[in-house]
Amino acid sequence: MIRTVFWDRGAVSLIDQKALPNEEKYLVCRDYREVCAAIRDLTVRGAPAIGVAAAMGIALGVSSLPQNKPVEMRRAFNSICGEFAATRPTARNLFWAIERMKRRFEELSGQPVEAMKSGLIAEAIRICEEDIEINRKIGLHGRALVRSGDRILTHCNAGALATAGYGTALGVIRAAHEEGKRIEVYVDETRPVLQGARLTAWELAREKIPATLITDSMAGFLMQQGRIDLVVVGADRIAANGDTANKIGTYSLAVLARSHRIPFYIAAPLSTFDPSLRSGGEIPIEERAAGEVTACGGVRTAPEGVAVYNPAFDLTPGRYITAIITEEGIIRKPFRQAIGRIMRSPSPLPLSRGGRGNLSESDA
Ligand code: MRU
């Protein structure tokens, strides 16, 4: 199994996603600031993985604090949490993980400092382990939507590397493959940073799941040729009405899928939902450095001085999304009601057995 992020004898180990697929190496962080830097520079990326890395980074920061007075410890803890919150703005899981660590801090307060430190380390490890379990459940729910023979398009990397393990969108693909369904995956290369080519193609090759790499602009033609049966992608943040922020290019795929009457699924844990936001327009969209666009693989591909716009994510309106696959089951429209219900009292929806059925224009 690919281990993306884990606690390793007082350090946080991260697989270096910038080095993949050419080199498989781990970055061992002994200072929480190294974890912050790894989130910012995409050594660790993908919404759930960022959340797990931040939780572990917070635990690492607290465990090395010299302060022994509760007041000083609280001040330092809050400041570390603030540094993690400032790393990347879009993925809800980052803020979810920070909030969870803060809740645990409150529960532990009053205990001896050493007990608080070990309690926070244990909480971060729990968040990591739970994420893998959650992804397996997403896979079990989502595989019912996949038929043997399906050709599946995915974008970016929503795999083991984007989570603590197994993946969300790739979790659905893995689960369908493990069930013995004959599937073929089309992988968008995902410019500018190539998470599809570098990471998703690498993960699928390791598991011998048939995969074909395409450039982002080829997706529409494949749909027109009738070569795509469904699209499944991950999410960075989902608003109360189902509007979804995900890797730049996702929106174009959703519009294309609608036009070709192809089902378009989001796979994401409940920790990606942000019911405090009424719609996608309220989701902060990260803009990244121009150098990601003016170069590819370290080689400059644009003239010096060219103006660049580099939003890392886009917004897919809920109306283009057929369904959202979560660990609690498959959420269908109307999303606002369904998301409200599941966030108020997550209780498992029954596992889907019926497959995806016939598509109407409104839910294709
Ligand atoms: O910029 P990245 O690589 O962190 O963006 C990742 C994505 O957009 C993923 O699709 C999303 O986080 C879902 S990961 C399960």
Side-chain angles (χ1 to χ4, degrees), residues 302-343:
E304 291 288 348
V306 69
V308 170
Y309 177 47
N310 184 19
F313 303 97
D314 62 22
L315 290 168
T316 299
R319 67 177 180 281
Y320 290 108
I321 297 166
T322 309
I324 306 174
I325 307 159
T326 75
E327 69 271 36
E328 300 290 347
I330 296 174
I331 300 181
R332 295 189 181 272
K333 290 169 190 159
F335 285 138
R336 193 179 292 283
Q337 286 87 326
I339 290 172
R341 216 175 309 125
I342 210 161
M343 295 306 284

